[in-house]
Amino acid sequence: MFIKKTKLVTFVLLVVLVLSQTVVLAEGVESFAVEIVGSGVEKEIKLTLDNLKSMPEEAQINEEYIYNSKTREKSAMVKGVSLAYLLKEKAGVTAENAEVIFEASDGYEIDPQTLEDVFNEDLKYVLAYEINGELIDNDDNPDNEEIVVYRKQKEPGEFSTVFKMVVKITVGEAVESTEKAKPVEEEPKAEEKEIVFTDITEKYAYAAKAIEELAKKGIIDGVGNGLYAPEREFTRAQFCKIMVEALGYKQVEYTGGFTDVKAGDWFAPYVQTAVESGLFEGYDNGIFKPNKPIVRQEMAAVVGRGAVLAEVVEQARMDKFIMEKSNYKDKDLVPEWAAHQVAWLEDQDVFSNVAVEKFEPTKVVNRAEAALIVYNTLFRKQTL
């Protein structure tokens, strides 16, 4: 009897041991949002969103962060945990300076940061788990836990202060603190040109500000002799140029993809850049039709894509806008390939003074309308 009890107890203990090992293994493969590793930390840690949210109040940050996109300054209400707190209190970093590497899940290359900057209280590096009150989903997979690293700007107009889809933060070995270099005197920025067009009559007053602002930025040009010619049509090639310039893209060399675009054409690099960036598409028979006047539905599709590329709006959000909810009387005429863009642009009041009761999707766009639509989409403050 005693032997049977001993065997039973032994069996139970073995079961408990196996189950306990299984739990440890399960915890070991638990999904996490970000890990902090490297020779510069005493303890490597993996953090889930729940871990971050449960950090003490002194670790939490809930502030507005200002950053720059390709088209303008933007802001976001960011909620997350101080990276400096995590490194000091959880990972055990004691060095004053070291190289800090952020790795993104999509392989996007991020410039190395410094521990000095991370510990700078003015910069406030934060592992954000909410942006504008919403959870983060930049990889289009809601099952993946994601964070975005934000930091404050060192100086107004600075880029590269937002680092998306960061999954690993590596702290290197301690290095000597960098000496603060004397500020280099920058060459004064070229002042925006004050351009006055004499043919912006009352008829085109609705587009006057847009024309003026885009001309100052060098995005659009006049036709000579102080004229803008607001009534003239706008071609596909011309709109390639205005969008490439508006988004600040560097022109790329034309590779000869279209039979009706030659390498020597002034618009060839603009066409190539616009197509490569996903702004424009050619036709099935291998032509681009650069001199074809652009119509409203085409322009809407292109500026809508530009708004996504410029991070004015996320594609997932734009896709929620549908023509069924449009107020345009001819909404059924808008093709499916332009529907989301037209619906979103309508909601943003981009077509103010251009399309009121009807959208007229196949109507040719003139130069005044083109300027207004680009300005309203990319440079006017949006309500998203």
Side-chain angles (χ1 to χ4, degrees):
M1 186 69 178
F2 176 74
I3 293 173
K4 288 183 178 179
K5 286 183 177 180
T6 302
K7 288 182 177 179
L8 180 60
V9 171
T10 303
F11 175 74
V12 172
L13 288 172
L14 285 171
V15 171
V16 171
L17 180 61
V18 171
L19 288 175
S20 64
Q21 288 177 333
T22 303
V23 172
V24 171
L25 289 172
E27 289 177 352
V29 297
E30 182 184 8
S31 63
F32 57 90
V34 64
E35 61 179 331
I36 299 177
V37 302
S39 58
V41 300
E42 294 180 357
K43 180 182 178 183
E44 297 187 347
I45 55 177
K46 295 180 179 180
L47 299 161
T48 66
L49 295 186
D50 285 340
N51 293 150
L52 293 172
K53 293 175 183 178
S54 63
M55 291 288 169
E57 186 177 350
E58 64 264 26
Q60 301 290 335
I61 293 176
N62 188 6
E63 293 184 15
E64 181 183 36
Y65 278 68
I66 306 296
Y67 62 101
N68 285 276
S69 68
K70 291 174 181 175
T71 57
R72 70 187 196 284
E73 185 180 88
K74 300 170 71 176
S75 68
M77 283 302 299
V78 173
K79 193 173 184 179
V81 173
S82 162
L83 177 56
Y85 175 90
L86 291 171
L87 294 180
K88 290 178 180 179
E89 303 299 329
K90 300 299 180 182
V93 173
T94 57
E96 293 184 1
N97 198 25
E99 186 177 64
V100 181
I101 302 295
F102 295 156
E103 293 181 37
S105 60
D106 63 349
Y108 186 85
E109 189 172 345
I110 300 173
D111 291 337
Q113 307 296 298
T114 67
L115 202 54
E116 239 180 3
D117 280 351
V118 172
F119 289 159
N120 185 335
E121 294 181 0
D122 293 331
L123 297 182
K124 283 193 177 180
Y125 282 74
V126 58
L127 272 60
Y129 50 77
E130 285 184 15
I131 300 174
N132 294 326
E134 297 182 356
L135 290 177
I136 300 163
D137 183 20
N138 288 314
D139 65 356
D140 296 326
N141 185 350
D143 294 330
N144 289 342
E145 294 195 345
E146 287 186 57
I147 59 105
V148 174
V149 178
Y150 281 77
R151 72 163 170 82
K152 302 283 188 175
Q153 295 180 346
K154 293 180 181 179
E155 56 187 31
E158 183 183 11
F159 280 84
S160 299
T161 60
V162 181
F163 314 104
K164 295 183 177 180
M165 301 173 71
V166 174
V167 291
K168 180 186 284 188
I169 299 173
T170 303
V171 182
E173 295 182 358
V175 296
E176 291 184 8
S177 296
T178 56
E179 292 184 7
K180 292 185 178 179
K182 294 180 180 179
V184 178
E185 290 189 10
E186 296 183 358
E187 293 184 7
K189 294 180 180 179
E191 293 185 3
E192 293 183 335
K193 297 179 293 182
E194 187 68 33
I195 299 176
V196 178
F197 296 114
T198 59
D199 57 346
I200 307 301
T201 60
E202 186 176 347
K203 180 179 179 180
Y204 300 104
Y206 67 88
K209 181 178 180 180
I211 294 168
E212 179 184 350
E213 293 299 320
L214 295 186
K216 282 182 181 179
K217 297 176 184 296
I219 294 171
I220 60 173
D221 301 309
V223 296
N225 298 320
L227 303 177
Y228 178 70
E231 75 288 349
R232 292 187 191 176
E233 62 190 23
F234 222 77
T235 66
R236 283 167 53 85
Q238 290 170 335
F239 204 63
C240 282
K241 177 182 182 295
I242 193 174
M243 288 301 296
V244 168
E245 296 289 353
L247 293 171
Y249 288 156
K250 183 178 179 181
Q251 297 173 47
V252 298
E253 185 177 353
Y254 179 61
T255 58
F258 300 105
T259 57
D260 57 348
V261 177
K262 307 302 180 187
D265 292 334
W266 69 265
F267 49 77
Y270 290 110
V271 169
Q272 187 70 38
T273 307
V275 171
E276 283 190 11
S277 65
L279 287 168
F280 263 90
E281 296 177 356
Y283 292 84
D284 292 337
N285 53 1
I287 61 176
F288 186 77
K289 297 185 180 180
N291 297 316
K292 176 180 177 290
I294 195 166
V295 297
R296 287 183 180 176
Q297 61 191 20
E298 287 182 299
M299 183 170 287
V302 173
V303 295
R305 294 169 194 152
V308 173
L309 291 170
E311 298 182 352
V312 173
V313 62
E314 293 183 355
Q315 184 66 58
R317 179 171 175 77
M318 182 176 286
D319 290 343
K320 294 178 181 178
F321 289 82
I322 54 177
M323 288 308 299
E324 283 82 350
K325 296 183 179 180
S326 170
N327 292 319
Y328 289 129
K329 294 180 179 179
D330 57 350
K331 59 187 177 184
D332 293 338
L333 299 179
V334 176
E336 185 177 350
W337 52 263
H340 293 303
Q341 290 92 339
V342 173
W344 179 77
L345 292 166
E346 178 189 1
D347 180 77
Q348 297 298 303
D349 201 26
V350 166
F351 302 117
S352 175
N353 296 303
V354 172
V356 183
E357 293 186 354
K358 293 183 178 181
F359 181 66
E360 298 178 274
T362 59
K363 185 176 181 179
V364 172
V365 179
N366 65 38
R367 287 168 55 85
E369 293 168 343
L372 181 72
I373 292 168
V374 170
Y375 177 78
N376 283 351
T377 304
L378 298 177
F379 296 96
R380 186 189 65 182
K381 186 176 180 180
Q382 303 291 338
T383 304
L384 300 181

